[in-house]
């Protein structure tokens, strides 16, 4: 048993070394990706629970790697964050999102109350120029601030709560909507909900998956829904994969949902088709 333990130790060291090396080369590859614009956006519709209409969409980033193909975000977002590259990518991403809204508005596919929801990572949010950058992006595409929703996480709030509150107040004073992503999975404390200026809570998919079997998950979701009503927050359910998931939320005050049941995240052409099908002539 001892011998096996020692071998495992050796494997562990090799594994660590190769991981450190691969993180380093990943960073280099990401620098190239930024320079050569290998990133693109996909869109996942957010749908009204009651009327089934597309109300907006969440924007998700993808990396088209020249050899590896499409790389999912969890493999590279942490490296973008730790390397500081997230500043440049985030700047591009907000502009790209605004560019699409402008195109869809001009095509008559996008009504005034629709928005795109953009994920914001901590180092991006804490850049002192973040708010200005977002407002500039909106102006450049001649868009009303209500066209954007920003998804923040509990991690952002925890890092510097006072600073977060000030920035969110500023963003919202301009009409930009703010959503708390993955609600309930972080270090959530109910007391901060009272103080953080928000428009939307997104119920994490981990609570939704077993909603019809697991009584604890059901209780948590019901608590989030009734609390949100009390606090005047909209609720978005994530990870709606089945009719059963949908039926649960249909009977609640939840306003919107997203999930594979309606559509996975899709590339812009497919999303435009979905918008077209929904436009009443
Ligand atoms: P997230 O913000 O919670 O995004 C939702 C994730 O759930 C997406 O994965 C989406 O494809 C997936 N999803 C959607 N519907 C379903 C469903 O019905 N079932 C299941 N099992 N999954 C579903 P994705 O695109 O791989 O993104 C993963 C995470 O990467 C995101 O989680 C977000 O934290 C991060 N991310 C993605 N795009 C960006 C971005 O542009 N900026 C930043 N900062 N983070 C991003
Ligand atoms: Ca999100
Ligand atoms: Ca989420
Ligand atoms: Ca997540």
């Amino acid at each position: 048993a001892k011998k096996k333990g020692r071998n495992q130790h050796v494997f562990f060291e090799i594994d660590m070394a190769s991981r450190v090396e691969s993180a380093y080369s990943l960073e280099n590859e990401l620098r190239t990706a930024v320079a050569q614009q290998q990133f693109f956006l996909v869109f996942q519709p957010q749908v009204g629970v009651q009327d089934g209409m597309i109300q907006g969409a969440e924007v998700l980033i993808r990396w088209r790697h020249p050899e590896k193909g499409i790389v999912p975000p969890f493999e590279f977002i942490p490296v973008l964050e730790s390397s500081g590259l997230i500043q440049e990518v985030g700047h591009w991403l907000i502009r790209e999102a605004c560019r699409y809204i402008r195109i869809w508005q001009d095509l008559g596919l996008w009504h005034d109350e629709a928005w795109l929801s953009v994920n914001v990572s901590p180092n991006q949010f804490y850049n002192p120029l973040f708010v200005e950058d977002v407002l500039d992006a909106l102006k450049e595409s001649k868009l009303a601030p209500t066209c954007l929703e920003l998804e923040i996480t509990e991690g952002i709030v925890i890092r510097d709560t006072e600073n977060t509150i000030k920035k969110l107040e500023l963003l919202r004073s301009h009409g930009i909507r703010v959503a708390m992503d993955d609600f309930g999975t972080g270090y959530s404390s109910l007391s901060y909900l009272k103080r953080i200026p928000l428009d939307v809570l997104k119920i994490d998919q981990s609570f939704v998956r077993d909603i019809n079997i697991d009584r604890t998950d059901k209780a948590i979701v019901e608590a989030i829904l009734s609390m949100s009503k009390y606090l005047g927050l909209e609720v978005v359910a994530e990870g709606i994969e089945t009719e059963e998931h949908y039926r649960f939320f249909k009977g609640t005050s939840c306003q919107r949902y997203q999930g594979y049941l309606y559509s996975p995240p899709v590339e812009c052409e497919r999303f435009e088709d979905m918008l077209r099908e929904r436009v009443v002539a």
Side-chain angles (χ1 to χ4, degrees):
K2 215 173 193 176
K3 200 173 169 199
K4 194 177 164 217
R6 206 176 303 144
N7 281 345
Q8 274 175 348
H9 181 68
V10 171
F11 279 126
F12 177 71
E13 278 180 348
I14 292 169
D15 190 44
M16 278 306 282
S18 65
R19 258 196 255 171
V20 169
E21 195 196 345
S22 77
Y24 177 74
S25 61
L26 184 57
E27 187 177 323
N28 280 337
E29 284 188 302
L30 283 166
R31 282 186 203 288
T32 310
V34 171
Q36 300 186 350
Q37 298 181 319
Q38 293 169 359
F39 299 108
F40 66 100
L41 303 184
V42 289
F43 306 89
Q44 184 173 38
Q46 290 190 346
V47 184
V49 171
Q50 299 308 328
D51 64 10
M53 299 294 284
I54 295 177
Q55 300 189 344
E58 179 175 2
V59 173
L60 296 150
I61 193 168
R62 295 291 181 266
W63 176 16
R64 192 177 279 113
H65 189 284
E67 287 109 39
K68 289 184 254 180
I70 309 291
V71 184
F74 67 86
E75 288 187 20
F76 64 88
I77 295 275
V79 182
L80 288 181
E81 270 279 297
S82 63
S83 62
L85 284 167
I86 195 73
Q87 302 300 341
E88 202 170 335
V89 175
H91 175 87
W92 167 82
L93 197 130
I94 299 241
R95 272 159 188 75
E96 191 71 353
C98 289
R99 189 176 70 84
Y100 277 114
I101 302 173
R102 167 54 43 225
I103 291 171
W104 296 331
Q105 280 195 353
D106 291 347
L107 288 171
L109 295 173
W110 201 249
H111 58 85
D112 292 341
E113 292 89 53
W115 64 89
L116 280 183
S117 205
V118 176
N119 293 284
V120 178
S121 51
N123 284 333
Q124 194 184 353
F125 185 84
Y126 278 107
N127 184 326
L129 297 175
F130 175 68
V131 176
E132 217 174 296
D133 189 47
V134 173
L135 292 172
D136 283 348
L138 286 161
K139 251 182 245 147
E140 286 163 22
S141 288
K142 299 188 173 60
L143 295 175
T146 48
C147 290
L148 271 191
E149 183 173 275
L150 300 177
E151 298 193 4
I152 64 162
T153 52
E154 290 166 344
I156 287 180
V157 176
I158 297 305
R159 187 149 127 190
D160 184 346
T161 309
E162 295 314 314
N163 191 352
T164 302
I165 291 173
K166 278 203 205 97
K167 274 202 185 182
L168 295 184
E169 275 170 353
L170 185 56
L171 287 163
R172 289 181 78 232
S173 74
H174 287 279
I176 295 167
R177 303 149 52 88
V178 179
M180 179 64 69
D181 201 1
D182 304 341
F183 185 70
T185 59
Y187 328 79
S188 43
S189 128
L190 294 181
S191 66
Y192 82 60
L193 263 194
K194 223 171 56 176
R195 301 179 49 224
I196 306 296
L198 290 174
D199 301 280
V200 178
L201 287 186
K202 296 191 78 176
I203 298 182
D204 191 68
Q205 55 194 49
S206 61
F207 299 115
V208 173
R209 196 168 305 125
D210 299 325
I211 189 90
N212 291 302
I213 325 161
D214 188 316
R215 289 172 55 208
T216 313
D217 287 344
K218 184 165 176 269
I220 291 170
V221 168
E222 280 169 347
I224 293 174
L225 282 162
S226 67
M227 187 180 61
S228 303
K229 224 198 259 174
Y230 186 69
L231 294 168
L233 297 171
E234 247 185 90
V235 178
V236 178
E238 290 195 88
I240 303 293
E241 294 183 350
T242 65
E243 285 293 340
E244 287 72 34
H245 289 157
Y246 174 72
R247 262 200 298 279
F248 173 86
F249 285 97
K250 179 95 175 166
T252 71
S253 58
C254 177
Q255 284 95 342
R256 296 182 252 153
Y257 75 95
Q258 53 184 115
Y260 296 162
L261 176 65
Y262 190 89
S263 170
V266 293
E267 292 191 34
C268 62
E269 294 84 4
R270 177 75 196 99
F271 185 63
E272 275 176 30
D273 288 343
M274 294 170 82
L275 290 174
R276 269 194 200 96
E277 285 162 24
R278 291 285 172 168
V279 171
V280 187

